Amino acid sequence: MTKVLRIIARLNVGGPARHVVWLSQELKSAGYETLLVAGVVPPGEDDMSYVAAEAGVTPFVVPQMSREVSPKDALTVWKLFRLMLRERPAIVHTHTAKAGTVGRVAGLLYRWLTPSTLIGKPRRCRFVHTYHGHVFHSYYGPGKTRLFLVIEKILARVVTDRIVVVSHQQRREINENFRVGSPEQFAVIPLGIDMSVYFDWEKRRPIARAELGANESDVLIGIVGRLTEIKNHKLFLEAAARLRQLTNSPVRFLIIGDGNLRNELEAQAKSLGLRDCVSFLGTRKDPENFYPALDIVALTSLNEGTPLTLIEAMANARAVVATAVGGVVDLLGQPQNESDEYAVCERGISVRTGDVEGFAHALARLIEDEELRRDLGGRGLHYVKQHYTKERLLADVSELYAQLVDSVTVQTTARSAKELPNQEITSR
């Protein structure tokens, strides 16, 4: 068995938590024994550790590993370095920004702090980092953003064998726009989900809608995700208020998720006169039930990798309206019909970031055009079945690891970046 150390900052609600658990659990059959390392979910964020428990994965917890920059980061690096000395992994795979920083700094120490370095033989270990998203805009102020970008460029150069991104759009953004890494380092490996969970969505739909008290004529518009600044739920509520002026159809808005902005968003809904048609459902652990109940799934984020919520929506044949950020562009496909306010794409409707008017008109279009809703939902379902299965994800990551482990003659990170095959691993 090839030992893999997989590091993520925290198992909070979102796609990365499920992603790392699936890889840790199911790559064992491909010959990779994984130790999952995670920090602690802070107060105010929902914990998804139950996903690991249900899969029989027990994470090694480093309590000092937090999302924000902290003096504790030095202790985290030291603990990860000591863990690497104990486990002697062949591959260290980091996920998300904070884990990518402390994990690769610890990896730099692990690779070079050995007596054999004196004779030009550092420890043999390959380092992989996955960008599920990135923090190069919309998260922090200009100064902190520039600092993080410099750190990422250095880590990519000195201690990263492969950089994994979840979409072609994300690769262009990170490598070409922000100049992180070299083209040869990148592998495009889209996310994957367990499609079997959603096979019977049509049978679940009437039951789920009855539980929500929805009439046959009601149009349910849902947004799924953490109630945090980057998801921009404020735009969703502003668009909901504007939408009521554009359509006479009975519309209800469901906000699924929780977070530090809940009280503020509830107050905003009240001030916009939406109290009677907006429901805050909190965190739900049953996506197989709530997605089928919806007619339209919205995403208003300022920054995304590839949002799991849109993949899950498409797996349930739901029509989607989303801001054109990150991997959303690849999910929705090419524009087929554009207006000043929005673009009808192959698999959903795309809106400019921050455009309340455009978002409201896009929602109105789908409310009034049931045939377009069905058409976009069907195309989305076909697309994710072809490109976003868990089985494909596991095969792609296994193939990437095999490339790295087989490159035993590579002596330095810089040389490995040049000698590994210059190809993108994509869905088959």
Side-chain angles (χ1 to χ4, degrees), residues 67-310:
R67 178 175 180 266
E68 299 299 332
V69 176
S70 164
K72 295 179 180 179
D73 293 342
L75 181 56
T76 300
V77 169
W78 176 250
K79 286 192 171 185
L80 292 175
F81 169 60
R82 295 293 300 271
L83 184 63
M84 291 174 194
L85 289 175
R86 189 189 81 185
E87 296 294 324
R88 302 186 67 81
I91 297 171
V92 173
H93 192 158
T94 57
H95 300 258
T96 68
K98 170 51 75 70
T101 301
V102 294
R104 284 181 288 175
V105 171
L108 190 64
L109 300 177
Y110 176 69
R111 176 176 274 171
W112 293 101
L113 287 186
T114 173
S116 62
T117 298
L118 297 174
I119 58 172
K121 292 185 178 180
R123 288 189 181 92
R124 286 180 176 174
C125 183
R126 300 289 172 252
F127 292 90
V128 182
H129 178 63
T130 292
Y131 285 96
H132 293 271
H134 65 73
V135 295
F136 303 149
H137 69 74
S138 303
Y139 275 90
Y140 304 106
K144 186 179 284 190
T145 298
R146 281 195 295 271
L147 173 62
F148 289 161
L149 186 55
V150 169
I151 291 171
E152 288 291 334
K153 288 181 178 181
I154 293 171
L155 291 173
R157 179 180 293 273
V158 303
V159 70
T160 311
D161 295 285
R162 273 299 180 109
I163 298 170
V164 176
V165 289
V166 295
S167 72
H168 293 280
Q169 172 67 18
Q170 191 185 44
R171 185 200 61 77
R172 290 190 292 270
E173 195 171 15
I174 292 173
N175 179 231
E176 298 175 14
N177 296 349
F178 292 107
R179 304 296 182 184
V180 175
S182 62
E184 295 84 2
Q185 286 176 282
F186 280 80
V188 179
I189 301 182
L191 300 179
I193 65 170
D194 184 357
M195 291 293 298
S196 66
V197 174
Y198 305 113
F199 282 163
D200 59 350
W201 68 267
E202 289 177 288
K203 294 180 181 178
R204 295 174 189 267
R205 179 172 168 82
I207 300 171
R209 287 178 67 87
E211 290 175 350
L212 292 169
N215 298 320
E216 187 65 31
S217 60
D218 287 341
V219 177
L220 300 188
I221 302 175
I223 185 168
V224 185
R226 294 177 292 123
L227 307 189
T228 188
E229 289 81 359
I230 200 67
K231 300 298 183 181
N232 202 15
H233 288 79
K234 291 181 179 180
L235 185 145
F236 178 71
L237 292 175
E238 291 170 2
R242 178 71 178 97
L243 179 63
R244 299 183 82 185
Q245 302 169 6
L246 300 176
T247 180
N248 293 319
S249 299
V251 182
R252 289 175 54 189
F253 305 92
L254 307 180
I255 297 179
I256 302 166
D258 216 332
N260 62 295
L261 294 184
R262 178 159 182 168
N263 291 338
E264 184 178 332
L265 293 170
E266 287 178 339
Q268 181 188 3
K270 182 178 179 181
S271 69
L272 290 171
L274 298 172
R275 196 172 188 177
D276 60 332
C277 62
V278 173
S279 300
F280 288 79
L281 302 186
T283 300
R284 295 278 297 262
K285 299 179 181 180
D286 59 339
E288 70 278 8
N289 291 322
F290 65 73
Y291 279 110
L294 304 175
D295 297 290
I296 301 168
V297 175
L299 183 137
T300 52
S301 298
L302 299 169
N303 187 351
E304 284 283 355
T306 296
L308 184 65
T309 178
L310 292 193

Side-chain angles (χ1 to χ4, degrees), residues 38-59:
V40 176
V41 177
E45 288 193 53
D46 288 322
D47 195 335
M48 281 190 79
S49 296
Y50 67 87
V51 174
E54 290 172 356
V57 175
T58 303

